[in-house]
Every structure is written in C-alpha cells, then in structure tokens.
Amino acid sequence: MARKVKCRWCNVTDTPKSEMEFELVGKSKPVKKYYHKHCYQEFLEDKKFKEKEAEELDSLRQTIENIFGIKQLPNQAYPFLQKLRNGEQVFGKQTMGKRYKEGYTYSLIEETFKHCEDTIHYWLGVKDFNGFMGAFKYSLSIVIDKIYYVEQRVQEQESKKAMIDNHIKHIVDEEDSVFESSYKKTSKTQEEDILDFLDD
Ligand SMILES: [Zn+2]
C-alpha cells in the first residue's frame, strides 16, 4: 500500500505520495516536499506573493539608503516599515484612518519616500537628530503624512492611463474599419478597371 505523506501546506496526512504534487527543494541534495493538488496552487500563489513582497522591500531599502546616503539600512528600521505595510500603528500617538489600517504596499511606501525626498533632505540639514534612527523615524512620519496623497495620485495616473489606452484602442479599431472599407473600395475599383479593360 502506498505510503501517505504530510502536506506541507495544510499539514494533513491523508493522501498517497503518488496522488500529490511535489516541489524539489535544495540544490546539492534536493528534497521532495509534498502538497495536495488543491493545496499546491495556494502554495504557489503564496510563494509568488512573498517573492514580490521581497522584491518591493528590497527596492524600498535601496531608495531609503540612497536618500540618506547610507550603505546599509539598519535592522531596527525594518519593523517600522513592516508595520506600515501591515496597516499597524507605526508610532505611539497616531490617528489612523480607515484606509491606513488596510496597509500600504512597499512600492507605494517607496513612491512616497521619493515624493518626500526634498523635504527629508531639508530636515536632515536643519534638525539635529540623535543618530540615524531618529532621522529615519522623523522621515517616516513625513512619509506617513503624505502617503494617502501619493496613493490618490498614483490611482489617478493609473485610471488616466487606462482611459488613454482605451481611447487608443478605440481609435485603432476605427482606423481598421476605415482601412477595410477603403481597401474594399480600392479593390472594387480595380475590378471595375479590369472589367473596363476587358470591355475594350
Ligand atoms: Zn494540503
């Protein structure tokens, strides 16, 4: 009888190996990790999501390092960014709007850091911060203050782009039909020409 193995996604052991999906993990000595067929899809989606999150966080890290002119973002900075990502309160006293609680993507946080770059540089020049974390937290509060505005702007740009794309598609469709009808006309004329020619 086929041995039943545990699903790495739901942790239930009820299905023979042969009826399960598996993933090979590790390079030098690959190990098979088994999943129910229906769990495997969820696992892949989750994996894709995590990879995208990691990429966005990495890009955000680079942007922050560039703005502050530092080589490596200290580990203490990450929990603050994660809180903003997860829609948790980042600082003690902070009023949170409904939207805020749903969280913001790392790429939107990055976009807002870029938007606030000049303001951050200004405060870095005039205010005395107690080390990097003090300056970072101050900058993050500027970012939080502006993130809703930047989000609205990004959404407006996206809907404008969608409208333009739609419009272009519409124009192209119309051009196609104009082209088709003039093409038909031309070929008909040629046909008539040939008929005329034959008549002669
Ligand atoms: Zn499962």
Side-chain angles (χ1 to χ4, degrees):
M1 217 182 120
R3 194 167 73 87
K4 288 172 181 172
V5 287
K6 186 162 120 178
C7 168
R8 296 293 190 125
W9 182 256
C10 69
N11 288 328
V12 172
T13 311
D14 64 358
T15 309
K17 260 185 188 180
S18 57
E19 290 167 33
M20 293 177 90
E21 293 280 356
F22 66 85
E23 188 195 42
L24 281 173
V25 181
K27 275 176 190 151
S28 55
K29 248 180 124 188
V31 177
K32 281 183 181 176
K33 288 191 170 180
Y34 287 90
Y35 301 89
H36 288 114
K37 285 194 162 82
H38 59 276
C39 287
Y40 193 61
Q41 290 310 313
E42 280 179 39
F43 160 74
L44 289 180
E45 271 166 40
D46 182 67
K47 193 176 160 185
K48 227 168 85 184
F49 174 78
K50 281 177 182 156
E51 280 167 1
K52 189 169 169 273
E53 285 285 291
E55 273 170 30
E56 286 188 14
L57 179 58
D58 198 53
S59 180
L60 169 62
R61 171 190 61 77
Q62 282 175 26
T63 293
I64 296 173
E65 287 171 354
N66 288 342
I67 290 175
F68 285 86
I70 54 169
K71 278 200 180 123
Q72 200 186 353
L73 185 68
N75 287 337
Q76 304 100 282
Y78 287 95
F80 291 95
L81 298 172
Q82 277 153 4
K83 278 182 180 173
L84 189 57
R85 172 69 189 99
N86 297 334
E88 293 160 24
Q89 206 167 356
V90 180
F91 300 113
K93 300 183 287 180
Q94 198 185 330
T95 49
M96 289 174 34
K98 186 171 173 281
R99 177 63 190 86
Y100 182 84
K101 289 177 192 160
E102 290 166 21
Y104 292 104
T105 61
Y106 285 129
S107 67
L108 184 69
I109 300 171
E110 180 181 5
E111 200 59 36
T112 314
F113 259 102
K114 285 179 180 167
H115 175 82
C116 298
E117 184 168 0
D118 290 344
T119 315
I120 292 168
H121 278 159
Y122 170 79
W123 287 108
L124 289 179
V126 297
K127 207 168 147 61
D128 209 7
F129 295 106
N130 197 11
F132 170 78
M133 281 312 289
F136 174 74
K137 284 194 233 173
Y138 193 84
S139 308
L140 195 58
S141 69
I142 295 171
V143 165
I144 291 170
D145 197 47
K146 282 276 178 278
I147 199 160
Y148 183 70
Y149 164 78
V150 173
E151 183 184 44
Q152 295 296 304
R153 216 181 53 163
V154 167
Q155 281 171 355
E156 266 168 38
Q157 280 165 350
E158 274 168 5
S159 67
K160 248 185 223 164
K161 196 185 165 289
M163 264 170 66
I164 291 168
D165 286 350
N166 223 329
H167 188 63
I168 290 171
K169 194 179 162 285
H170 190 69
I171 291 172
V172 170
D173 286 348
E174 274 183 357
E175 274 176 355
D176 278 353
S177 60
V178 167
F179 175 75
E180 256 170 47
S181 56
S182 65
Y183 175 75
K184 272 177 199 152
K185 255 180 235 160
T186 317
S187 46
K188 199 182 169 194
T189 319
Q190 277 171 349
E191 230 171 84
E192 282 164 354
D193 284 350
I194 293 169
L195 287 174
D196 285 348
F197 172 77
L198 287 174
D199 277 348
D200 283 343

Short mmCIF file of all heavy atoms in Angstrom, two decimals, residues 7 9-11 35-36 38-39, ligand 1:
data_model
loop_
_atom_site.label_atom_id
_atom_site.label_comp_id
_atom_site.label_asym_id
_atom_site.label_seq_id
_atom_site.Cartn_x
_atom_site.Cartn_y
_atom_site.Cartn_z
N CYS A 7 1.03 16.88 3.89
CA CYS A 7 1.01 18.03 3.00
C CYS A 7 1.70 19.19 3.72
O CYS A 7 1.37 19.52 4.85
CB CYS A 7 -0.44 18.39 2.66
SG CYS A 7 -0.62 19.99 1.86
N TRP A 9 1.48 22.24 3.11
CA TRP A 9 0.67 23.46 3.16
C TRP A 9 -0.36 23.40 4.28
O TRP A 9 -0.47 24.31 5.08
CB TRP A 9 -0.01 23.71 1.81
CG TRP A 9 -0.80 24.97 1.75
CD1 TRP A 9 -2.17 25.08 1.80
CD2 TRP A 9 -0.31 26.31 1.69
NE1 TRP A 9 -2.55 26.39 1.75
CE2 TRP A 9 -1.43 27.16 1.68
CE3 TRP A 9 0.98 26.86 1.63
CZ2 TRP A 9 -1.31 28.55 1.61
CZ3 TRP A 9 1.09 28.25 1.56
CH2 TRP A 9 -0.03 29.08 1.55
N CYS A 10 -1.14 22.28 4.36
CA CYS A 10 -2.20 22.20 5.37
C CYS A 10 -1.86 21.26 6.53
O CYS A 10 -2.63 21.14 7.48
CB CYS A 10 -3.53 21.80 4.73
SG CYS A 10 -3.55 20.10 4.13
N ASN A 11 -0.70 20.57 6.41
CA ASN A 11 -0.22 19.67 7.46
C ASN A 11 -1.07 18.42 7.69
O ASN A 11 -0.94 17.76 8.71
CB ASN A 11 -0.07 20.41 8.80
CG ASN A 11 1.13 21.34 8.79
OD1 ASN A 11 2.13 21.06 8.12
ND2 ASN A 11 1.01 22.46 9.49
N TYR A 35 2.59 18.19 -1.57
CA TYR A 35 1.39 19.03 -1.36
C TYR A 35 0.18 18.34 -1.98
O TYR A 35 0.31 17.69 -3.03
CB TYR A 35 1.56 20.40 -2.04
CG TYR A 35 2.74 21.18 -1.54
CD1 TYR A 35 3.99 21.04 -2.14
CD2 TYR A 35 2.60 22.07 -0.47
CE1 TYR A 35 5.08 21.75 -1.66
CE2 TYR A 35 3.69 22.78 0.00
CZ TYR A 35 4.93 22.62 -0.61
OH TYR A 35 6.01 23.32 -0.15
N HIS A 36 -0.98 18.52 -1.35
CA HIS A 36 -2.23 18.11 -2.02
C HIS A 36 -2.30 18.89 -3.33
O HIS A 36 -1.82 20.02 -3.38
CB HIS A 36 -3.46 18.51 -1.18
CG HIS A 36 -3.65 17.71 0.05
ND1 HIS A 36 -3.52 18.25 1.30
CD2 HIS A 36 -3.98 16.41 0.21
CE1 HIS A 36 -3.77 17.31 2.20
NE2 HIS A 36 -4.05 16.19 1.57
N HIS A 38 -4.81 20.48 -4.60
CA HIS A 38 -5.50 21.77 -4.40
C HIS A 38 -4.68 22.71 -3.51
O HIS A 38 -4.78 23.92 -3.64
CB HIS A 38 -6.91 21.56 -3.83
CG HIS A 38 -6.95 20.84 -2.52
ND1 HIS A 38 -6.92 19.47 -2.43
CD2 HIS A 38 -7.00 21.32 -1.26
CE1 HIS A 38 -6.96 19.13 -1.15
NE2 HIS A 38 -7.00 20.23 -0.42
N CYS A 39 -3.88 22.14 -2.63
CA CYS A 39 -3.05 22.99 -1.76
C CYS A 39 -1.86 23.57 -2.52
O CYS A 39 -1.38 24.64 -2.21
CB CYS A 39 -2.54 22.19 -0.57
SG CYS A 39 -3.82 21.83 0.64
ZN ZN B 1 -2.93 20.11 1.89
#
